Amino acid sequence: MRGEAGTPHGVPCPYDGAASLGHVVQSLGVPLTEVSGLRADGEPVSAAHRPPDGARIELSPVPRPQPLPPSAPWPPRFVLDVHLGALARRLRLLGVDTAYRNDAADPELVAQAAAEHRILLTQDRGLLLRRALWLGAYVRGSRPDEQLTDVLDRFAPPLTPWTRCPACNGTLASVPKKEIAEQLPPGTRRTYDTFTRCTTCGHLYWPGAHHPRLAARVAAARRATGGGPAPRDGPGDSSADDAA
C-alpha cells in the first residue's frame, strides 16, 4: 500500500490485508478527525474499506471552514484538554461556548464531548484516536494566539465578545453598581460605573487595567473572521483581575 504524503511517490505502508483503511491511517499517527476523504487508486472509499495490496491511498485534509455533522449544534460548542487553558480563556472572551477543567482526565473529556455534543480540541493525537470520541480536532500552533487563529479558521464560530465568563464559561449579565458596591475594592468603586456578573459563578467584571489588551485581542479576532470592529464596551467587559 502507498499513501500520499505531498510527494510524487508517496510513502510505502505495510499492510496485512485484513485491517480497515481507517485503522491503517490511524496506525500511522493520522487521526481520522483530520481527514475529510479517502481514495484508493483514485476511487472514493470509506474508512471501513480494505484495499488490495499495492493500492495507492490518498488522504484529503478537512476543508476550512469545516462542515459539521447534522447532529452537531450550532453555534459549535467545544471542550478543551488540560493543556489548552489559555486558549479556553480566549475563546470564552469571544463568547464561544467552551468547557474546560484543568484536572479533567482523558476519558472524562471524551465522555463530555459525546454527552454534550462538544468538539474536543487537543494537541494529543492519541486522544483523537479514541474510538468513543464523538468529534474532535487537532489544534495547530504553539502559542495561544496561534491556536485561537487555527480554531476560528477551522470552525468559524460566530463571535459574541464579552458575553461569557472567562473563568467558568457562564453567561454575563449587567448588574447595577449599587447592588454590588459593597463587594468592590474602594478604588474600583470610585473609578468604575459599568459592571457585569457571571450568572453561574458570580464573578464580577469591569473595564479595568487589562481591558485595552483584551479589547485589542477581540478586535484582532473579529478582523480575522470578517466580523468587523468590536464595540469598545459591552455587557461583558473584563475585570481588572482577569488575565485572559
Side-chain angles (χ1 to χ4, degrees):
M1 183 187 300
R2 235 172 229 287
E4 291 293 307
T7 68
H9 303 293
V11 176
C13 174
Y15 180 57
D16 61 8
S20 69
L21 182 54
H23 178 80
V24 173
V25 169
Q26 297 207 124
S27 72
L28 296 173
V30 180
L32 291 179
T33 60
E34 308 310 298
V35 178
S36 68
L38 298 167
R39 288 179 175 268
D41 292 327
E43 295 297 323
V45 294
S46 71
H49 178 70
R50 287 173 169 77
D53 188 33
R56 188 176 188 88
I57 305 303
E58 300 173 54
L59 312 181
S60 300
V62 292
R64 292 180 174 241
Q66 178 181 343
L68 299 181
S71 60
W74 185 260
R77 300 193 291 251
F78 300 97
V79 56
L80 277 57
D81 78 13
V82 297
H83 303 291
L84 297 176
L87 174 61
R89 291 190 294 273
R90 282 161 170 76
L91 287 169
R92 290 170 177 176
L93 175 68
L94 297 173
V96 179
D97 189 341
T98 305
Y100 171 79
R101 281 176 35 216
N102 63 7
D103 61 349
D106 288 355
E108 293 179 285
L109 293 170
V110 172
Q112 184 176 10
E116 301 176 9
H117 278 193
R118 292 182 179 271
I119 302 166
L120 175 58
L121 301 181
T122 181
Q123 292 188 320
D124 181 351
R125 294 179 186 271
L127 189 50
L128 295 176
L129 298 177
R130 292 188 175 232
R131 185 173 298 180
L133 181 62
W134 174 71
L135 190 61
Y138 182 83
V139 178
R140 301 177 184 177
S142 59
R143 299 169 61 86
D145 288 337
E146 296 169 347
Q147 296 165 358
L148 178 63
T149 298
D150 180 60
V151 172
L152 297 182
D153 179 60
R154 178 163 177 173
F155 294 104
L159 307 184
T160 55
W162 317 111
T163 61
R164 288 195 175 271
C165 175
C168 80
N169 196 46
T171 56
L172 300 179
S174 297
V175 58
K177 182 177 181 178
K178 62 182 180 181
E179 185 175 321
I180 45 89
E182 295 304 314
Q183 303 175 44
L184 302 173
T188 300
R189 190 163 54 241
R190 290 192 303 270
T191 307
Y192 300 101
D193 296 309
T194 302
F195 299 88
T196 59
R197 180 167 56 193
C198 177
T199 59
T200 300
C201 73
H203 194 90
L204 291 172
Y205 294 89
W206 58 90
H210 293 294
H211 185 70
R213 175 171 58 83
L214 298 182
R217 186 169 290 157
V218 168
R222 290 176 66 94
R223 287 194 300 270
T225 58
R232 299 184 66 180
D233 291 311
D237 295 342
S238 58
S239 76
D241 61 354
D242 174 42

